[in-house]
Amino acid sequence: DDDVASSCVKLDADVTRDNVGHAMVDSMDTNTAWNYFSTIVEFMNNKVECIMTHITITADHLQTTLTHEKQSSEISDDNADSVKHDAHNKFSDMLNQDFKFSVDKLLSDFLPADEDATVQPEGGEVVFEYPKMEQIKPVKVGHEQSVDIGDETSVKVITLSVNPPLFEIPDFMSNEDSDYIIEASNEKGLHTSRVFATGNETRSNSDYDKGRVSNSTLILESKENVAFLTKLQKRAAGLLRVPVEVIRYSQPLAVGQYYPGGFYHSHMDSNIADADKPCCFQTTCPYINGTEREHLECCQMCRMATLLYYLDNVEEGGETAFPFADKSLPDMIRSMQDQQWHNLTKNCEQAAVRVKPQKGKAILWYNHFLDKRGYLGAVNKRGYHGGCNVKKGVKWIATHWIQYPKYEHRLLPSKYFMKSAV
Ligand SMILES: O=C(O)CCC(=O)C(=O)O
Ligand SMILES: [Fe+2]
């Protein structure tokens, strides 16, 4: 596939199999080796979209063989060596054949960043230091916890999936607040949402809306709505256990509207690869033609979490679907074999988790793992999601995308802060 081949060329980094792979595998028992393999495969899977096709064969092979080995015999001292040897060879094969990139690099997102690498803001003035984040613990599916969101209010948070951590908060927003947002959007006017189905199309009008059929608008701060927005930001901050600045310095509240036939195919709210790039919300990349696409060539999204509010009931359809929530890696890879796996018009029912829109309900999920210090880590591919076709009625949503920096960038201001400060 052309797309795969061309992006794979970019990953032509050195393989560190001699110092990483061999040394580790030599000192492992089968269980550890299996865990290690799955972890590596998982990392690769999360980090490097382009090798998905290659990885499938190896991961499946590895899974089958190791599962078989574990079941077929107790591993005695006698055969331990041969098992190790086998694992060793498989890992070498895996690295030799298809994976021409550095394992170190893949793991780097999960390792603590170098303290000295902290980037200082231009001009030296620190307006806000992003603290270490603590994500809400999902515990297990169905788990209910009460989260204090300030103002002597607590909300019920119900776990919908563990990986990604995905939660439902019934009645997070009052009817009045939902109506306020709908009204403000109608007053401002909504426009057709422009999203590409894949990153691969050339830009032309006919390509717009392949990935999404909906209308949208942004609720920008104004004198009239600042009190409302601040109240909502505080609730969001309370829920996410972050200072309100984190919400305020993220992008503005986005409103989406879907008529019958409207949908949004599965996508990630943050980028998959390019961990080396700075976060878009902390950079002023030159916009070429004023579009987000080129924009992403110099920065990455860094949307740590998504907090989505349902502003109204939908008579039929319009579920938010998470095709891979809590799915095993082999299952996920298998689903991705279908060229159209992201097509929710076709695959809504197969999604692992589907959330029915209900007025006032919010859902929250984390698009990224935390790194070892509690800052932005790698993207979690199980966070793929989208909106199924609305069948009857109109679907209204509002979204807070919560931007969070990498550890090294915790002192850098958000460009959204800069804008409101000017
Ligand atoms: O419409 C939905 O339920 C999901 C919307 C979404 O994923 C987005 O706006 O990024
Ligand atoms: Fe999304």
Side-chain angles (χ1 to χ4, degrees):
D1 168 308
D2 266 3
D3 192 22
V4 170
S6 64
S7 36
C8 280
V9 173
K10 288 195 211 139
L11 295 160
D12 195 23
D14 53 323
V15 175
T16 57
R17 72 187 157 88
D18 287 331
N19 45 17
V20 180
H22 289 206
M24 290 182 81
V25 172
D26 279 345
S27 60
M28 275 176 193
D29 57 45
T30 309
N31 275 325
T32 319
W34 168 237
N35 287 337
Y36 178 65
F37 286 137
S38 1
T39 313
I40 294 276
V41 171
E42 184 97 51
F43 280 135
M44 289 170 171
N45 199 10
N46 281 323
K47 292 283 298 163
V48 191
E49 199 164 28
C50 88
I51 55 160
M52 187 57 80
T53 333
H54 307 291
I55 225 168
T56 306
I57 306 148
T58 321
D60 264 2
H61 177 71
L62 215 55
Q63 162 105 345
T64 319
T65 324
L66 285 171
T67 307
H68 178 74
E69 271 167 10
K70 272 208 286 197
Q71 281 166 355
S72 63
S73 61
E74 282 292 310
I75 306 204
S76 66
D77 285 347
D78 284 351
N79 64 11
D81 273 353
S82 79
V83 169
K84 254 192 235 171
H85 188 72
D86 239 32
H88 185 293
N89 285 344
K90 278 176 198 118
F91 190 59
S92 303
D93 282 354
M94 192 165 134
L95 292 173
N96 267 328
Q97 288 167 12
D98 297 315
F99 306 110
K100 292 196 191 314
F101 55 83
S102 151
V103 175
D104 284 340
K105 190 163 152 41
L106 289 172
L107 297 176
S108 66
D109 265 9
F110 290 84
L111 304 172
D114 180 357
E115 190 93 35
D116 298 336
T118 299
V119 180
Q120 299 297 325
E122 246 174 82
E125 195 203 348
V126 175
V127 265
F128 176 69
E129 175 168 354
Y130 280 82
K132 167 187 161 69
M133 182 185 256
E134 270 176 56
Q135 295 186 344
I136 300 177
K137 300 249 175 330
V139 186
K140 60 177 188 201
V141 174
H143 180 74
E144 282 189 25
Q145 49 192 310
S146 170
V147 175
D148 180 357
I149 57 165
D151 257 1
E152 285 164 27
T153 315
S154 56
V155 294
K156 187 161 83 177
V157 175
I158 307 164
T159 302
L160 299 182
S161 74
V162 172
N163 188 13
L166 165 64
F167 309 93
E168 169 181 327
I169 308 98
D171 304 314
F172 184 76
M173 201 182 274
S174 68
N175 284 351
E176 294 72 38
D177 287 358
S178 297
D179 295 342
Y180 180 96
I181 299 173
I182 292 182
E183 217 167 284
S185 310
N186 277 331
E187 267 170 37
K188 192 179 167 206
L190 295 99
H191 54 84
T192 307
S193 306
R194 295 174 158 190
V195 165
F196 292 98
T198 72
N200 206 25
E201 283 116 328
T202 46
R203 193 172 307 97
S204 75
N205 280 332
S206 62
D207 283 324
Y208 286 137
D209 303 328
K210 271 189 179 169
R212 175 177 191 180
V213 172
S214 71
N215 299 313
S216 56
T217 192
L218 296 176
I219 307 284
L220 301 174
E221 199 177 292
S222 71
K223 244 188 237 154
E224 290 72 44
N225 69 18
V226 64
F228 174 85
L229 289 180
T230 306
K231 185 183 72 177
L232 190 59
Q233 286 163 359
K234 280 188 184 156
R235 284 175 73 83
L239 176 68
L240 277 125
R241 305 176 208 188
V242 294
V244 71
E245 285 85 349
V246 172
I247 312 292
R248 193 176 303 145
Y249 301 163
S250 289
Q251 58 194 107
L253 190 68
V255 175
Q257 178 203 42
Y258 305 72
Y259 282 103
F263 62 84
Y264 193 169
H265 289 328
S266 291
H267 62 278
M268 288 295 305
D269 283 351
S270 214
N271 335 34
I272 301 287
D274 297 335
D276 289 344
K277 291 176 183 166
C279 293
C280 295
F281 81 102
Q282 293 176 304
T283 8
T284 38
C285 302
Y287 277 74
I288 307 166
N289 302 333
T291 68
E292 201 165 84
R293 181 117 181 264
E294 281 87 356
H295 186 77
L296 285 179
E297 279 162 22
C298 92
C299 59
Q300 60 165 336
M301 299 299 286
C302 302
R303 286 170 173 164
M304 171 73 91
T306 304
L307 177 57
L308 185 153
Y309 313 102
Y310 298 104
L311 305 176
D312 208 349
N313 297 316
V314 178
E315 268 183 82
E316 205 186 322
E319 300 91 342
T320 304
F322 294 80
F324 307 132
D326 280 340
K327 276 209 175 186
S328 75
L329 183 66
D331 275 357
M332 179 168 151
I333 291 168
R334 250 188 297 281
S335 313
M336 282 184 162
Q337 294 300 290
D338 176 357
Q339 287 276 306
Q340 291 206 43
W341 65 266
H342 65 273
N343 181 341
L344 282 176
T345 303
K346 198 176 129 202
N347 295 324
C348 176
E349 270 68 44
Q350 282 92 291
V353 171
R354 289 183 304 280
V355 187
K356 189 178 152 65
Q358 271 173 321
K359 186 164 184 165
K361 173 155 90 182
I363 56 173
L364 164 70
W365 71 92
Y366 295 98
N367 300 301
H368 286 256
F369 297 105
L370 287 180
D371 77 353
K372 287 263 160 58
R373 292 187 195 262
Y375 290 82
L376 192 85
V379 164
N380 184 354
K381 269 207 173 178
R382 288 194 176 78
Y384 263 106
H385 66 278
C388 299
N389 280 51
V390 171
K391 294 183 176 148
K392 219 170 164 192
V394 182
K395 174 179 171 184
W396 281 94
I397 56 168
T399 310
H400 264 137
W401 280 293
I402 287 100
Q403 317 268 357
Y404 220 79
K406 301 185 225 188
Y407 175 78
E408 305 91 291
H409 294 164
R410 68 195 178 284
L411 303 181
L412 297 186
S414 157
K415 70 178 178 196
Y416 299 103
F417 168 79
M418 306 294 261
K419 263 183 197 158
S420 59
V422 170

